[in-house]
Amino acid sequence: MSLIHVTDLYEAAYLVSEGFCIEAVECIPIARARACRISFRDDEEIARTQGVFYSKAACVNLHAFRQAYNQVNGFVHTAKKSYEKDRKAGGEG
């Protein structure tokens, strides 16, 4: 199974609000900060949906988008907490 990865929370929330399921959320270090990579199953439909998002033509139900954003943000928060816990347990930093 091929995955596409996004780090933008709004893009991820848009994809979720359009019916795509998150496959994984992974915290990744970038310089001194941390970001989260949100993974979705790659297919033609997601590429088309991303095209709509990037062309600034995306229209959403605001309530559904807000719920999706909260879901994505919760996964990101959990991934960052888990990353910090693992990093501390490993004796880094």
Side-chain angles (χ1 to χ4, degrees), residues 13-46:
Y14 176 65
L15 293 173
V16 169
S17 71
E18 290 296 303
F20 297 97
C21 295
I22 294 173
E23 296 292 326
V25 179
E26 177 185 16
C27 189
I28 52 175
I30 299 176
R32 293 183 180 178
R34 281 163 206 70
C36 279
R37 183 169 64 182
I38 303 148
S39 302
F40 295 86
R41 189 171 298 180
D42 191 9
D43 65 19
E44 290 178 25
E45 192 61 28
I46 201 166

Side-chain angles (χ1 to χ4, degrees), residues 46-67:
I46 201 166
R48 185 195 64 72
T49 305
Q50 282 184 300
V52 171
F53 179 81
Y54 290 129
S55 69
K56 300 176 186 172
C59 292
V60 296
N61 174 295
L62 195 52
H63 181 71
F65 181 82
R66 182 178 178 183
Q67 287 181 316

